[in-house]
Amino acid sequence: MRVLLVGSGGREHALAACLSRSPELEALFIAPGNPGMAPLGTLVPIAADDVAALVAFAKEQRIDLVVPGPEAPLVAGLTDLCIEAGIACAGPSQAASALEGSKSFTKDVADAAGIPTARWERFEEAEPALAFVRRRGAPIVIKADGLAAGKGVIVAQTLEEAEAAIIDILTDRSFGEAGASIVIEECLVGQEVSLFAFCSDSEAVLIGAARDHKRIGEGDTGPNTGGMGAISPPPHFDREAQEQALDIMVRPMLAEMVRRGTPFRGIIFAGLMLTDAGPKLIEYNVRFGDPEAQALLIRLDSDLLPVLKALAEGRLDNASIRFTDEASISIVLAARGYPGTPVKGGAIRGIERAEAVPGVSVFQAGTALRDGVLVASGGRVLTVCAKAETAVQARARAYEGVAAIEWEDGIFRRDIGL
Ligand code: AMP
Ligand code: GLY
């Protein structure tokens, strides 16, 4: 098979590593990729969200399967364009990607499918929204309805914070059109977990679960990031609980999407809160998480390529997929300044030494080659991952790997999985 993988982060590097091991792979192209992925395939200088150029390239290169990593090309309709061109794409259509692109759409689907989720209301105008939060009181959660680069959710601990968030999003339009409407919902209390599954129409096959560490600072302090590290599986959420959650949180959604005429084919990422009253849906993403994917994929014990092809073609019911029952962890090394303006250009050494630690893999994200030297070129730069029989061992191995990396501007959390 000739495959085009789309994206350039650690998640895509981990996907590329799996795809490159497939006996069914004939050629792997990666757009735009990063230097860490260069040994695994041919890097193509097309941006991940330039869907027209991606499809033109796929046609020209007679690609059999497109594998989208991030959400941007999906929300921009990459899958629909691929299907028009007769090319299989392992991601949801633009219509089904609304599960990530619109919070109110997700809440509508969850309600229609009977999926437990926080009680909610949608508002387009500030006055009624303000009146609503004054009636309800804090804590309360305010969300920009559209895609806001992970910054559109405000968990307001006080009424003042909630009011400020409403004005900020609806009146001042800080998130532009993504904030043309908001969802206000009940604040859920509990431990968060992320559940991942391959889905195709009515079929869902469990991938696994992970826990992300979103804040930049140790002890979950400071601003939110794309994710600073993940552990898999999360404590108290074993395979049986994950299968149960798939029945409650994912399969009814798939049935509802089929009923609406917009079936979902791709990887679903369900963000769940384990509350005292059982798991509740926080949100869906229509792709793998980053850095959750890295922690999950290093335990993959089957060929990923036929599974992705099957889900793209609606034949997932025949697919077999196995993960080892090890524990795994991913630790993000980011550039000083992230999630604000990261320091770029610093030389990075020691990746081979890190990977010499048993069970350790290093995936690249914001890296570039300058005069043959690997340098930092973005916010999240490396993900150091490890697997082992126990979570404690995996954690120790991963931090041993981190210690082998020489990079002056690198920052990371020392408390991933503690
Ligand atoms: P998102 O940016 O959509 O990934 O959401 C950011 C985070 O906001 C989630 O990971 C949760 O920690 C938090 N969150 C979202 N909705 C709720 C809710 N209803 N109650 C409590 N926390 C929430
Ligand atoms: N790590 C969270 C995400 O990928 O959305």
Side-chain angles (χ1 to χ4, degrees):
M1 250 185 277
R2 297 171 64 79
V3 177
L4 172 62
L5 171 64
V6 178
S8 61
R11 163 181 57 203
E12 288 79 22
H13 189 173
L15 283 166
C18 293
L19 292 172
S20 69
R21 287 196 299 268
S22 173
E24 292 188 26
L25 185 73
E26 197 185 310
L28 178 62
F29 297 90
I30 310 162
N34 65 45
M37 293 149 92
L40 305 172
T42 306
L43 304 190
V44 184
I46 302 174
D49 59 355
D50 189 349
V51 292
L54 290 169
V55 175
F57 177 84
K59 277 199 237 176
E60 184 191 300
Q61 286 294 333
R62 294 170 291 106
I63 294 295
D64 301 300
L65 180 68
V66 174
V67 180
E71 65 278 16
L74 297 170
V75 174
L78 175 62
T79 304
D80 310 69
L81 289 177
C82 284
I83 291 169
E84 265 173 46
I87 301 167
C89 181
S93 66
Q94 190 169 37
S97 299
L99 286 172
E100 175 155 1
S102 164
K103 307 263 188 223
S104 59
F105 177 81
T106 296
K107 300 296 281 191
D108 268 334
V109 169
D111 286 352
I115 294 170
T117 184
R119 279 172 297 146
W120 66 289
E121 296 268 348
R122 177 174 181 271
F123 296 91
E124 287 176 5
E125 290 182 33
E127 274 317 312
L130 290 167
F132 180 78
V133 296
R134 284 171 195 146
R135 256 192 339 268
R136 282 291 166 86
I140 196 157
V141 181
I142 318 290
K143 302 182 170 184
D145 203 336
L147 276 185
K151 297 189 179 102
V153 174
I154 295 94
V155 181
Q157 296 302 332
T158 65
L159 188 55
E160 292 68 35
E161 266 179 79
E163 291 174 342
I166 290 168
I167 304 279
D168 191 44
I169 301 173
L170 280 181
T171 311
D172 299 343
R173 287 290 163 97
S174 326
F175 300 109
E177 275 309 291
S181 60
I182 59 173
V183 165
I184 302 186
E185 62 180 42
E186 171 197 4
C187 188
L188 301 172
V189 181
Q191 292 286 337
E192 267 185 81
V193 295
S194 305
L195 182 72
F196 296 88
F198 296 113
C199 304
S200 191
D201 303 349
S202 321
E203 302 292 332
V205 175
L206 182 65
I207 296 174
R211 173 166 298 140
D212 193 9
H213 296 62
K214 284 218 164 150
R215 306 282 186 141
I216 187 74
E218 282 160 20
D220 289 324
T221 53
N224 261 322
T225 69
M228 292 300 291
I231 52 166
S232 175
H236 315 300
F237 197 60
D238 60 15
R239 203 82 195 160
E240 198 187 325
Q242 294 168 28
E243 285 286 0
Q244 260 173 22
L246 203 58
D247 274 336
I248 299 170
M249 302 290 176
V250 175
R251 292 195 171 102
M253 174 278 284
L254 293 176
E256 173 62 17
M257 294 299 280
V258 169
R259 198 190 62 75
R260 289 176 180 228
T262 53
F264 183 90
R265 292 182 179 178
I267 290 165
I268 199 76
F269 163 168
L272 312 180
M273 189 76 86
L274 306 180
T275 74
D276 287 343
K280 295 208 176 180
L281 179 75
I282 299 174
E283 61 174 358
Y284 292 119
N285 296 304
V286 299
R287 49 165 176 90
F288 252 131
D290 183 342
E292 295 93 325
Q294 294 91 307
L296 289 159
L297 289 172
I298 57 170
R299 290 193 283 107
L300 180 64
D301 202 16
S302 323
D303 188 352
L304 181 63
L305 186 46
V307 175
L308 293 180
K309 189 79 191 308
L311 82 78
E313 293 175 343
R315 309 179 277 106
L316 192 59
D317 47 337
N318 298 322
S320 86
I321 185 113
R322 284 179 320 276
F323 289 83
T324 68
D325 51 16
E326 291 158 297
S328 55
I329 180 167
S330 57
I331 297 162
V332 170
L333 270 68
R336 204 154 27 84
Y338 178 77
T341 311
V343 178
K344 295 184 186 174
I348 301 164
R349 294 191 179 80
I351 291 180
E352 304 72 26
R353 243 171 303 140
E355 289 195 314
V357 179
V360 169
S361 309
V362 179
F363 300 109
Q364 300 186 28
T367 56
L369 278 176
R370 209 180 51 200
D371 305 325
V373 177
L374 191 71
V375 299
S377 67
R380 291 192 294 175
V381 173
L382 301 177
T383 319
V384 179
C385 305
K387 57 182 176 179
E389 215 161 294
T390 69
V392 172
Q393 282 166 345
R395 192 170 180 277
R397 287 175 166 188
Y399 279 103
E400 195 183 332
V402 169
I405 306 279
E406 291 169 52
W407 171 34
E408 269 182 21
D409 305 316
I411 55 169
F412 62 93
R413 280 180 58 166
R414 284 163 213 278
D415 65 343
I416 306 302
L418 259 197

